[in-house]
Amino acid sequence: MIAKFLLLILISLFSISCTKGNSLQKEYGENDSYFRALLLLKDDTQSEKAIPLLKASAKKGSPLIARRSLEQLALLSPQKKQLKYYKKIFTDYNDSSALLNYICELEAQQDYGKIISLTDNLSPELATDKITAVRINALLYKKDLRCGKEFLEWCFTKPYTAEHEKVYRQLSAEIPGVEFRSLVFNRKYSEAYKNLKIILGNKELQKPQLFSDAGKAALYGSKSFLENAYYFSSLAENAPLDCKFYSYFYSGRLFEKASDYNSQALLNFQNAMNFAETPLMYDNALWYYLETSLKKSIPSALDALKTYGHKWNDPFYFDDFLSTLSLRLISQHMWKEYIETAGLISTFASKESKAKFAYVSARLLQLNYLPVPENIASEQARSFFTMALDSGNEFYYKLLAASQLGFSKEQYENLILSYGTECTEPVNYDASVLLKGYADYGLPELIYDEWKNFPLEITMDCSLKISQFLFECGKENEIYYPQSLRISSRKVNYPETKINREMLCLSFPKCFEKTVEKYSEEYNIESYLLFALLRSESFFDAKISSSAGAVGLAQLMPLTASDVARKLKIEDYSLTDAQTSIQFGTFYLEEMIRRLDGQKLLAAFSYNAGISKVRNLYSSAKIEMQTDNIPMDIFLEALPIEETKEYGRKIVSASCLYAYLYNSKLPSQVIAEIFTATP
């Protein structure tokens, strides 16, 4: 079907609609020849006709399109002629990508001397691993004496990767420090651990990367946590300055693994922070300091947060710690401390974490979980709800807070369309022209891979055009649905201007609409809930499989699908078939809702984690809260399974957006429907 669809586009461009063709030529000017060449290349017999067009756009096209034209010419040329094109690309653009393509072609033609001369001024520490690998292979082939020195420098100054491993295996020699890194890279920790003290005892091998790998070997290759903790702590005293961080850091990790040594772990994490050479290293040590404090006690964690929270560098790095802290505070009914924490983190946590703590604090006050006078509680709750409206790149707390504040339709519209974190990346107009051209000339197969090179640099109007085009192509070939959604969602999350409804609809699209509507009616489930489920489960990728084994749009496990098929009396089926997956998923969700007495949110939790587990958690929560009517938003926060908790947020948020965009229902109505049991 897609071939017929694209053929129609070609016919319209070259035969039926000369006006459209002329219009595109006028709009794209010198770049037009590049796109017309690509259309010709769809037919293998037309490549000769495409070459003059590519040469024209290589000379007169905009910089990016000229570069793509040269790359196409290289691919169309015999191997001996490809080199001149890669050389020109490198000469004209002189970046890492151009250099890599050029030296890889030189390698294919065994011109190792040229590779060496081109890369002579590059430091292994600064060059990309792929470029360094090609250079070292060239040095090895030419028996250049620099080979060994540069290889060791590369291995000991950079994180060990598959590129290192590939070159090392070609050397056919066992180099102690490199062999140690190789073992750790391949997760042969026990084998690496046997040589740990020999490696670290060699002063020539006392490099930060070796210390880091040694720490991993001690953590995962031995059960002697306490002995190893003291060993790394003692190493720190005489270790080179740039290795002290890893000595203290892994000493802390090892003390943490040992029982009842949290105080020693905390001391070593503090020392590691003092020797951190980058913000990431500091945050990593601080994260473990906070986590270890929480293991010790909640008051200890709160004290640590007061002391160090304002010193962290990347707020998002600590979202999972704050999520764990939130759960612990709720499970211990420490309502006062929860609200105090919401105020404490308001100056340094991420917007998402601040919104979570603010919303939950507001609800605790609203539900009278604290002995606060009603008028004061109401005023404080409103203040916290208002704070939760600014929730960064998350809709859940924003929509729930707006619902509690009684937002009007106009207020919801302004709130929803002001979504996202403003993109600070400079706009790449050349890339935007290229991608828009792929859409205008009917080349959907080229869009997504090209877009991945510039995901944050594309203009809003370009993102809208290519996403809309791919969505329409998805009606003929479903592979384009998730591509459209990924592009639109990235732009909605990081817009350079205010988003509009059209862009938001593409981020919450009605893919497979007829099938979803059919089974929505057949199983009496709101279509907005089904669209939300499919978007959350698979991003509308019908062929996707999870690491756990779930398959297809509705991400059903084979065993669950087999049970559904038996109940539906269907013998032959495929979970990668869109209609089958939607039918089975809808049937299963309806069954969950029915078995849980109409509780849609509990059904969503059960779809993700299993009904028995959710029932047990819900029963336990009611006992702990001493109520038979625990609010669903509070139960969500009390769930000990982070994946299921996040899944519930996604389902609620997406349901609200789908119902608002397509059914004109306010989010407050949808939240009430999902959070309240229906007969």
Side-chain angles (χ1 to χ4, degrees):
M1 289 297 292
I2 191 66
K4 293 180 180 178
F5 174 67
L6 294 175
L7 182 60
L8 288 173
I9 294 176
L10 286 170
I11 292 172
S12 68
L13 283 171
F14 290 103
S15 304
I16 297 175
S17 180
C18 293
T19 303
K20 175 67 173 175
N22 292 336
S23 173
L24 287 176
Q25 188 172 11
K26 182 178 179 181
E27 179 180 350
Y28 286 91
E30 300 293 351
N31 292 324
D32 170 72
S33 57
Y34 170 70
F35 298 111
R36 288 192 290 123
L38 293 179
L39 290 171
L40 287 169
L41 289 173
K42 286 178 172 291
D43 183 345
D44 291 339
T45 66
Q46 300 295 308
S47 58
E48 289 301 318
K49 293 181 180 179
I51 289 174
L53 293 171
L54 289 170
K55 287 181 176 179
S57 56
K59 288 181 179 179
K60 297 183 178 180
S62 58
L64 182 57
I65 288 178
R67 180 172 185 162
R68 294 292 181 262
S69 300
L70 289 169
E71 290 168 352
Q72 280 292 335
L73 285 166
L75 293 173
L76 292 170
S77 301
Q79 188 176 22
K80 290 185 178 179
K81 291 186 177 180
Q82 287 180 0
L83 191 60
K84 74 171 186 177
Y85 287 113
Y86 288 121
K87 180 179 180 180
K88 179 167 177 54
I89 294 169
F90 173 65
T91 302
D92 290 352
Y93 300 98
N94 194 24
D95 56 26
S96 293
S97 176
L99 174 60
L100 179 62
N101 287 334
Y102 185 25
I103 63 176
C104 283
E105 186 59 31
L106 288 168
E107 186 176 45
Q109 298 189 25
Q110 298 186 339
D111 192 345
Y112 300 109
K114 186 67 174 176
I115 292 171
I116 293 169
S117 65
L118 282 169
T119 57
D120 263 343
N121 295 325
L122 294 178
S123 162
E125 191 172 0
L126 300 177
T128 68
D129 287 330
K130 288 188 176 181
I131 289 173
T132 305
V134 175
R135 172 176 170 80
I136 289 174
N137 277 327
L139 292 170
L140 181 62
Y141 184 87
K142 298 291 284 186
K143 298 181 180 178
D144 191 306
L145 295 178
R146 292 173 292 177
C147 179
K149 179 177 179 296
E150 290 192 15
F151 176 68
L152 290 176
E153 182 183 353
W154 180 42
C155 285
F156 294 158
T157 59
K158 300 280 290 289
Y160 196 90
T161 67
E163 295 295 333
H164 292 84
E165 182 72 357
K166 184 178 178 182
V167 174
Y168 181 46
R169 292 307 159 201
Q170 288 176 349
L171 295 178
S172 300
E174 190 170 297
I175 306 170
V178 183
E179 181 64 20
F180 183 80
R181 298 213 70 193
S182 173
L183 290 170
V184 173
F185 173 75
N186 289 295
R187 299 187 179 184
K188 296 179 179 179
Y189 300 116
S190 297
E191 196 173 340
Y193 178 72
K194 294 174 185 176
N195 295 315
L196 184 149
K197 292 185 178 180
I198 296 174
I199 294 296
L200 294 185
N202 185 339
K203 291 193 177 296
E204 291 185 3
L205 295 180
Q206 290 187 351
K207 311 287 186 182
Q209 294 293 335
L210 267 297
F211 266 74
S212 178
D213 281 357
K216 295 183 183 74
L219 269 175
Y220 308 120
S222 167
K223 297 295 183 183
S224 304
F225 300 125
L226 190 58
E227 177 187 336
N228 289 326
Y230 281 117
Y231 173 67
F232 271 84
S233 184
S234 66
L235 277 177
E237 297 178 13
N238 298 312
L241 189 63
D242 57 0
C243 297
K244 287 184 182 294
F245 170 84
Y246 293 107
S247 298
Y248 284 123
F249 177 75
Y250 281 105
S251 178
R253 293 286 311 275
L254 290 158
F255 272 123
E256 180 198 19
K257 283 277 189 181
S259 300
D260 301 322
Y261 284 88
N262 285 332
S263 296
Q264 289 91 328
L266 290 171
L267 179 60
N268 279 279
F269 288 136
Q270 281 180 317
N271 287 330
M273 284 187 273
N274 292 333
F275 286 99
E277 296 184 342
T278 67
L280 179 58
M281 291 166 73
Y282 182 89
D283 284 354
N284 196 14
L286 176 53
W287 188 91
Y288 277 100
Y289 182 87
L290 293 170
E291 281 283 317
T292 306
S293 298
L294 186 55
K295 285 182 180 179
K296 193 173 182 182
S297 70
I298 292 178
S300 176
L302 294 177
D303 286 341
L305 195 58
K306 290 174 185 175
T307 303
Y308 290 106
H310 65 284
K311 295 182 181 180
W312 62 41
N313 297 284
D314 181 3
F316 295 102
Y317 197 89
F318 298 89
D319 280 350
D320 55 350
F321 162 74
L322 290 174
S323 183
T324 303
L325 177 60
S326 171
L327 178 62
R328 290 284 301 278
L329 289 168
I330 289 171
S331 65
Q332 296 295 317
H333 296 185
M334 298 176 72
W335 314 130
K336 179 175 176 290
E337 288 81 0
Y338 197 103
I339 293 173
E340 289 175 351
T341 303
L344 170 66
I345 67 172
S346 64
T347 58
F348 53 75
S350 71
K351 288 185 176 182
E352 288 77 7
S353 288
K354 285 190 283 189
K356 179 215 293 278
F357 272 84
Y359 177 80
V360 174
S361 293
R363 289 288 283 145
L364 295 177
L365 289 162
Q366 194 179 58
L367 294 166
N368 298 317
Y369 282 21
L370 289 92
V372 179
E374 186 175 341
N375 61 327
I376 296 176
S378 177
E379 183 181 340
Q380 289 180 337
R382 186 171 187 83
S383 177
F384 275 124
F385 282 136
T386 302
M387 188 187 302
L389 294 174
D390 185 17
S391 61
N393 287 5
E394 295 289 345
F395 270 117
Y396 179 76
Y397 295 108
K398 186 191 299 280
L399 294 174
L400 263 63
S403 177
Q404 292 289 345
L405 291 168
F407 267 34
S408 65
K409 183 176 181 180
E410 183 180 358
Q411 286 176 306
Y412 272 120
E413 182 86 1
N414 290 331
L415 182 72
I416 289 170
L417 295 182
S418 64
Y419 179 77
T421 300
E422 184 179 357
C423 180
T424 57
E425 292 289 326
V427 171
N428 189 324
Y429 291 102
D430 271 359
S432 296
V433 168
L434 175 61
L435 287 163
K436 287 170 72 174
Y438 287 151
D440 280 333
Y441 286 81
L443 297 159
E445 68 277 7
L446 300 178
I447 291 175
Y448 187 64
D449 284 342
E450 187 71 73
W451 171 82
K452 287 190 291 187
N453 295 319
F454 316 97
L456 294 176
E457 302 169 47
I458 305 304
T459 61
M460 177 70 75
D461 66 312
C462 174
S463 298
L464 182 61
K465 176 186 275 288
I466 62 177
S467 182
Q468 181 65 58
F469 175 65
L470 289 173
F471 177 78
E472 293 301 322
C473 291
K475 295 175 182 178
E476 298 292 332
N477 187 337
E478 63 193 28
I479 68 168
Y480 293 117
Y481 276 146
Q483 293 180 9
S484 169
L485 179 51
R486 289 188 182 100
I487 291 170
S488 58
S489 294
R490 179 63 68 93
K491 180 52 65 175
V492 165
N493 278 315
Y494 300 100
E496 79 276 7
T497 60
K498 189 174 181 179
I499 60 175
N500 54 40
R501 284 179 69 93
E502 191 176 6
M503 196 73 206
L504 199 60
C505 284
L506 287 167
S507 189
F508 292 86
K510 298 179 80 172
C511 305
F512 307 98
E513 181 176 6
K514 290 182 180 179
T515 306
V516 172
E517 296 291 352
K518 173 186 175 181
Y519 291 113
S520 165
E521 184 176 346
E522 183 172 331
Y523 294 107
N524 194 29
I525 295 180
E526 296 85 351
S527 62
Y528 66 71
L529 185 56
L530 290 184
F531 280 118
L533 182 141
L534 296 173
R535 184 186 188 276
S536 302
E537 286 286 354
S538 63
F539 240 46
F540 295 108
D541 186 343
K543 308 301 182 187
I544 197 170
S545 297
S546 74
S547 57
V551 180
L553 285 172
Q555 286 290 280
L556 290 172
M557 297 294 288
L559 191 61
T560 302
S562 176
D563 187 52
V564 170
R566 178 181 57 79
K567 293 173 181 176
L568 291 171
K569 295 181 172 56
I570 296 175
E571 294 183 1
D572 188 23
Y573 63 89
S574 169
L575 288 178
T576 57
D577 173 68
Q579 178 163 319
T580 300
S581 188
I582 292 170
Q583 180 186 11
F584 282 25
T586 308
F587 177 92
Y588 185 58
L589 179 62
E590 188 277 335
E591 184 177 58
M592 293 297 100
I593 294 173
R594 179 165 36 83
R595 291 173 65 185
L596 290 160
D597 303 319
Q599 293 274 14
K600 293 186 178 68
L601 188 57
L602 287 184
F605 291 147
S606 299
Y607 194 101
N608 176 263
I611 191 168
S612 296
K613 184 178 291 185
V614 171
R615 275 177 168 163
N616 290 335
L617 290 170
Y618 189 51
S619 297
S620 298
K622 287 193 291 186
I623 293 170
E624 288 178 7
M625 296 290 188
Q626 298 180 347
T627 177
D628 285 331
N629 190 27
I630 180 172
M632 280 292 107
D633 54 349
I634 299 299
F635 175 60
L636 182 146
E637 301 300 335
L639 274 174
I641 312 169
E642 189 59 39
E643 178 192 338
T644 303
K645 191 156 33 182
E646 181 58 27
Y647 181 79
R649 294 190 193 108
K650 287 181 179 179
I651 293 294
V652 173
S653 301
S655 294
C656 287
L657 268 295
Y658 273 107
Y660 182 73
L661 292 169
Y662 301 104
N663 304 98
S664 298
K665 294 184 77 167
L666 293 181
S668 53
Q669 295 174 277
V670 178
I671 290 166
E673 290 173 7
I674 293 177
F675 282 13
T676 307
T678 54

